[in-house]
Amino acid sequence: MPSTTTALPSFDQLPIDPKYPPQTAWGVWGSEDDLGTLNLLTEERVTNAAKLIKRGTVFSLNWNLEYPGTGFFGRTAICHSYKSLAPGDMVFDDCYSNFNTQVSTQWDGLRHFAHLSSGHFYNGVKPSEVARGTEDSNSRLGIHHMARKGIAGRAVLLDYARWAAKHNPTYDAFKRTEITVKELDQVAEWQGVQFEQGDILMIRTGWIHDFTKYGDKVVDHLDDPHEPSCAGLQACEETFKWIWNHHFSAVCSDNFSFEAHPIKDWTTSCHAAFLGGFGMPIGELFQFEALAEDSAKDGVYAYFFTSAPLNKEDGVASPPNALCIK
């Protein structure tokens, strides 16, 4: 069984070779690696995470595929149709058409966003290798690599929204607010959370809670119906260092961008640093409401987590099909 004690470079030690761009983890798991930080989900860590199951209570983290359904970033809503296969409508198939895999709860895979300052994707993969129909097109970094490994391990929830209700009363998940890592440390201390290498970090901003609360009037509360503002993680070197040095295997939140939006500079964004620099998947629009409510009652914020992305060759992103089990 692979060991979990293998030393990883600190953020200040990146890159491991001067031929790689600054502050990237290229080559840490080999130059041909397609999994990035998911390599941290070793058999030993999965086995230890399974010991967190005490009650057998299962929480789905997948929002309705119909939500948010407001056409953010030009992503069209899913079209769902039935096909009758027998007389009398006794047997059916159904079909999804115009299905954008990032229209609702999603993993951003490593093909979604490049390390913009270097002009390459994670591990030096060229844009021409990712683009379809070029002479260089190949299967590097496709979502199928994540799918065929499968994602399972220990997840921890930082319920920033619940903490902010007591410690930052003017906080509004629908306004651009930069959540700092200093605040995340305060949330972790408030909840009694201890991080472990390979954790899946989950941050609840309260965005889905507020979206649901506003109901049919939600558009009235968005400052832009297509590219609205939201609270999220601050994109800066301090954040990148904190995330890398904790050696999380993946990160996710309940907003649509993970980081505070609008993005000030995509070149120095969390998307560029995590996906393109670290090879770290980013999850968005994860549904944490039931899990957060239960954890507020029992004080347990570490869980066994599973996710089965779509096994689509060369895919860019995928619904996570994610669960937490307590």
Side-chain angles (χ1 to χ4, degrees), residues 176-184 203 230-243 255 258-261 263-264 268-271 273-274:
R176 191 186 189 284
T177 304
E178 294 185 337
I179 298 171
T180 67
V181 293
K182 180 179 180 181
E183 289 178 303
L184 293 186
I203 302 173
C230 74
L233 200 59
Q234 182 183 44
C236 64
E237 185 171 323
E238 183 181 11
T239 294
F240 306 157
K241 183 174 184 177
W242 188 89
I243 292 288
N255 67 10
F258 184 75
E259 54 196 306
H261 193 272
I263 311 298
K264 291 182 177 179
T268 55
S269 65
C270 291
H271 278 65
F274 297 173

Side-chain angles (χ1 to χ4, degrees), residues 16-36:
I16 62 168
D17 190 303
K19 69 182 180 181
Y20 297 131
Q23 301 178 351
T24 68
W26 297 7
V28 169
W29 291 284
S31 61
E32 298 300 313
D33 175 59
D34 291 305
L35 291 172

Side-chain angles (χ1 to χ4, degrees), residues 205-225:
T205 69
W207 193 88
I208 283 182
H209 172 273
D210 288 355
F211 184 98
T212 304
K213 176 181 68 175
Y214 294 136
D216 294 340
K217 302 295 184 181
V218 67
V219 176
D220 297 338
H221 296 269
L222 300 174
D223 57 359
D224 184 322

